[in-house]
Structures are given as C-alpha cells and as structure tokens.
Amino acid sequence: MAKEEHNQCMAWWREAKFGMFIHWGLYAIPAGMWKGKRVPGIGEWIMYYARIPVEEYECLAGRFNPVRFNAKEWVRVAKDAGMKWIVFTAKHHDGFCMFDSKLTDYNIVKATPFRRDPLKELAQACKKENIRLGFYYSQTLDWHRPNGMGNDWDYDPNKKNFSKYLEEYVKPQLRELLTGYGPVAVLWFDIMTPTPEQAREVRDWVHTLQPETVVSGRVGPWRERGIGDYEEWGDNEIPAEKVEGDWETPATINGTWGFKSYDHNWKSTGDLIHKLVEIVSKGGNYLLNVGPTAEGIIPQPSVDRLEAVGRWLKVNGESIYGAKASPLGELKWGHCTAKPRKLYLHVLAWPYDGQLEVPSLKGNVNRAYLLADEKRMDLEVKSRGNGVLIKLPAKVPDPIDTVVVVETEG
Ligand code: FHN
C-alpha cells in the first residue's frame, strides 16, 4: 500500500488511542475450572492447558446460551469509558466461531441454543454509537481444525497441512468477516503466521477485501516487523522508552483475557489511567481487554473501573486523543503528552512544595493552566536552570492524574 494511502487508513487509529478488546467464547463456560479443578493460566487457553479433546470441548457449545448478552450495553460501556473502537474475538485459538460461518457448523449460530450472531448485533450497535468495530482472528493456532496449529493431543503435528487450512479455511472466513458485517476497522491477527510470505498474503487478502482495514502487527512471524499496519507490543507490555512509528499495547484489566470466575486481580482505576497516559506519552495506543461471562455480562468490577476512566477522560481527553509522544526526557513526577504548541503534563506525584519542575523548556512557555480548570486561570511560571518551575495549587485537584497544560512557542 502506498505511504499516503496507509497514512489515510491509519488516521483514525492514530487519533483514537484507547480501545476495548473483548475476549468472549466457549471458554467463558468453564471459566478456568475443568472437572472440578482450577486450571492455571489464562482462561481462553483452558482447552490447551487441560489438553481437552476436541470431542469433549465441543460439548460446551450445546451449553452456550448467553441470554443476557446485549450488544448495545457493551458498546455503551466502551463509549462511556472513552474507548473509540472495539476488537472482538471472532475466532480464538479454540477454533469456535463467534459468528455465523458457512465454512463450519462449529459456530455460535449453528451449534448453540443461543443461535444469534453477536458480530451482527455488535456491528449495528457500534454503527449507531459511532464506535469502530474490529475482529480478532486466530489465523495460525486452531485447536479444533486438524490442519490448524497447536493441537497435538488430537492430531499428529506431522500430518498437518497448514497451507490447505490457510487457503481453504482462513481466507474464506476472512472473506465472510470482511463482507458480512460492514466496515471492519481492524483485523487483529495473533500469534504469527508461519512464514513472511504467508503473512503478506493474509494481509493483502484483507486489503483486497477492505482496503481501509487496519491489520495488526501479529500477522507477521515472530520478530518480523513491518508486515502489519502497526506494531503490536507484547501482552501487557509497555516499552521502557518512547517508540517511533505506530504501535499498541494490548492489555488485560485483570490477569486473564477470557473470563475466569476466580480471577479478581482487577487493576485499579488509577493504574489503568496511568498506563493509558504512559503509553500515549511513549507514542502508542492502549487496547484494554474485558472478558464477559458465559451469560454475556461484562463483569461489574470491569465496568466500574471503565466508567471511572471515562469520567477522567471526559475532563482530560484533550491530553490523550490525537496526542503524540512526549518531547521531554524522563520526568520524575509523571508523564507528558503533546500536541502542536501544547504540552500536557500529567502530574501523578504531586510535588511536596507545590513547585513543578519541567526541564528543557526555558524561554519557550507562553502560559500554563490546569486542564480541569474551566476558567483556565494562569499558573505562575518561573525559569529554573534549563527549564521552568510551575506553581501548582496546594491541594491536589486529582490525586490520580492532574493535567497541567503548557502552551509553548513552537
Ligand atoms: O494467546 C493469545 C491470548 O490468548 C490473547 O488472545 C492475547 C491477546 O493479546 N494474545 C495471545 C498471546 O499473545
């Protein structure tokens, strides 16, 4: 794709910064328990960790009836959290299709009592609320298909024909996803396609069907960068320093992606906001996951935290959406995000003497004020060495993150 075209397709993504990841599938039924025992590890990997035979795992489909699923409600939660797009697991490694596929009956419409297609419902709800919708698709691992990768307890790995699976299953299913649900914002491939040639083929296939769909970095083989439209950082991983180019951190709100009944390791609201700010200050996007239950409910602790993040973004969103990486070095009190002629200083640790020291800004500051201050009253700015000192109010306005706006010369 030509550079200009690529930039056009990436424009919304670069602006959006904060998205919702949803891992939802049959694994929400066992929710981390198999035959009365806890299975360690992330919930959506239960089939693999417990080496559950295909025949046994398949039976979960007959029990999947998430009657409380309400696409409008999920989209509302994402929107109120200030998230701009959703990535939903159309097919995870267990191979179960959460959409009505003609390629297999092992799908939510044909194999469950539920018989509804959540992708259709999400696509409608997202369209109405102006939230973009993308699909996660496990292109390499498929523990259900004999020729998909990863299942060596039911199938002999030496007899797998991956190219056949790619040609006769993955590509036709991608066609279904890219022709049946309206505009697809992102195709979120995961865990490397085996060869760079195959990865490029998959990427080009997507772009032929929907030229504007953004393809995730994990379409490429391990460490093979530049095949997807942006780089995918490791799970829950935030780089130590600013990173050039388009990149994203996919992350969990607790310790799992797919629902686990006993994972209560919820990150605090403050932690989530700090991670969002840190990622944006280093130039990335934050894709934050929720794992709905088998009934179709986003767990309340997730909703509570997302609502709180949304309240913070209502006040401070200007410092996040469309913001770029910090031009300043390390800041001992927090992070910085940037827009043309504006710096947003995210003060996470309020200075004990009320003096915020900002290095490398000497002679370059027009004014400073608190983003949350509707009157935008000037804060006193003095030079100090190479930088400036900004006088802050004695009382911390927002102990999680108070944003100071600095208007600069250039
Ligand atoms: O194996 C998956 C995992 O289940 C989950 O989907 C995450 C999300 O980034 N990706 C893989 C591991 O990197």
Side-chain angles (χ1 to χ4, degrees):
M1 191 186 279
K3 197 162 181 212
E4 201 177 309
E5 229 178 296
H6 170 76
N7 283 337
Q8 268 170 23
C9 296
M10 292 299 289
W12 72 266
W13 193 91
R14 289 174 183 157
E15 180 78 25
K17 293 291 159 193
F18 189 34
M20 177 182 270
F21 213 174
I22 305 179
H23 276 65
W24 198 42
L26 295 183
Y27 38 80
I29 300 175
M33 300 285 290
W34 196 251
K35 300 196 170 154
K37 288 213 177 88
R38 287 185 174 196
V39 179
I42 41 183
E44 69 285 4
W45 273 70
I46 193 164
M47 180 176 177
Y48 179 89
Y49 289 135
R51 299 292 192 276
I52 304 172
V54 163
E55 238 177 66
E56 255 182 72
Y57 191 86
E58 272 180 344
C59 296
L60 292 172
R63 289 166 51 199
F64 196 62
N65 197 12
V67 286
R68 295 178 72 192
F69 166 67
N70 179 345
K72 286 187 199 146
E73 176 59 11
W74 287 13
V75 174
R76 180 201 67 77
V77 172
K79 193 168 183 172
D80 285 355
M83 292 160 146
K84 302 296 184 188
W85 79 106
I86 290 175
V87 176
F88 178 80
T89 46
K91 175 174 87 87
H92 204 269
H93 311 329
D94 67 356
F96 186 70
C97 299
M98 294 295 283
F99 63 103
D100 191 9
S101 175
K102 290 194 170 57
L103 277 294
T104 176
D105 285 352
Y106 193 49
N107 76 57
I108 188 162
V109 175
K110 302 207 176 75
T112 75
F114 188 52
R115 303 188 67 81
R116 278 159 53 188
D117 184 337
L119 266 61
K120 278 239 147 70
E121 296 179 28
L122 280 168
Q124 272 166 15
C126 282
K127 189 170 173 203
K128 195 147 176 261
E129 294 300 332
N130 216 3
I131 296 283
R132 291 172 192 261
L133 179 64
F135 301 133
Y136 173 109
Y137 186 89
S138 177
Q139 82 281 21
T140 301
L141 296 185
D142 189 318
W143 304 321
H144 187 259
R145 312 283 310 173
N147 287 322
M149 299 284 198
N151 181 343
D152 56 7
W153 57 99
D154 285 291
Y155 309 117
D156 180 351
N158 298 314
K159 293 203 180 127
K160 285 186 191 292
N161 184 342
F162 185 76
S163 312
K164 187 172 156 71
Y165 159 77
L166 202 60
E167 244 1 91
E168 295 178 6
Y169 192 70
V170 172
K171 283 165 81 175
Q173 281 209 322
L174 290 174
R175 184 200 290 280
E176 292 183 327
L177 291 173
L178 289 156
T179 54
Y181 299 94
V184 176
V186 179
L187 221 323
W188 214 99
F189 294 107
D190 199 4
I191 306 206
M192 66 262 185
T193 319
T195 69
E197 294 71 38
Q198 285 166 330
R200 282 192 199 97
E201 204 180 314
V202 169
R203 175 202 61 194
D204 293 347
W205 180 247
V206 171
H207 285 154
T208 310
L209 293 161
Q210 278 204 33
E212 293 190 358
T213 299
V214 172
V215 172
S216 80
R218 289 192 194 162
V219 71
W222 188 237
R223 302 213 182 282
E224 183 85 27
R225 294 180 169 255
I227 297 184
D229 286 312
Y230 65 91
E231 295 309 328
E232 204 63 65
W233 221 250
D235 290 347
N236 296 303
E237 195 185 348
I238 302 178
E241 288 172 354
K242 170 158 107 178
V243 173
E244 298 297 334
D246 299 309
W247 61 273
E248 171 180 88
T249 291
T252 51
I253 197 164
N254 51 344
T256 179
W257 304 84
F259 180 69
K260 263 181 101 168
S261 57
Y262 50 93
D263 182 339
H264 306 299
N265 195 15
W266 309 104
K267 292 176 181 86
S268 67
T269 302
D271 192 9
L272 296 172
I273 292 173
H274 292 178
K275 286 186 161 73
L276 170 64
V277 169
E278 184 178 352
I279 289 166
V280 176
S281 80
K282 290 173 177 174
N285 277 12
Y286 189 31
L287 185 65
L288 179 61
N289 182 74
V290 295
T293 65
E295 290 74 43
I297 301 288
I298 300 178
Q300 196 57 42
S302 299
V303 175
D304 293 343
R305 282 154 181 80
L306 292 179
E307 280 176 357
V309 175
R311 284 195 292 276
W312 183 87
L313 276 167
K314 270 223 158 68
V315 177
N316 297 293
E318 184 192 314
S319 69
I320 297 294
Y321 304 118
K324 301 270 180 270
S326 169
L328 307 175
E330 201 176 320
L331 300 164
K332 55 184 186 228
W333 38 258
H335 302 290
C336 168
T337 55
K339 285 190 179 168
R341 286 176 302 285
K342 272 188 188 173
L343 295 179
Y344 300 93
L345 310 177
H346 295 260
V347 188
L348 313 187
W350 203 248
Y352 71 95
D353 59 357
Q355 302 283 339
L356 188 74
E357 193 171 350
V358 194
S360 341
L361 272 184
K362 194 169 179 181
N364 195 16
V365 176
N366 284 339
R367 59 185 293 241
Y369 53 88
L370 298 178
L371 185 54
D373 177 6
E374 279 169 11
K375 294 192 186 125
R376 314 236 138 154
M377 304 260 283
D378 280 341
L379 299 171
E380 191 187 309
V381 183
K382 287 193 293 203
S383 25
R384 151 77 73 90
N386 234 353
V388 295
L389 278 183
I390 302 174
K391 190 164 189 284
L392 300 179
K395 197 167 166 285
V396 190
D398 183 341
I400 290 183
D401 176 3
T402 299
V403 181
V404 177
V405 187
V406 170
E407 292 186 356
T408 57
E409 293 286 332

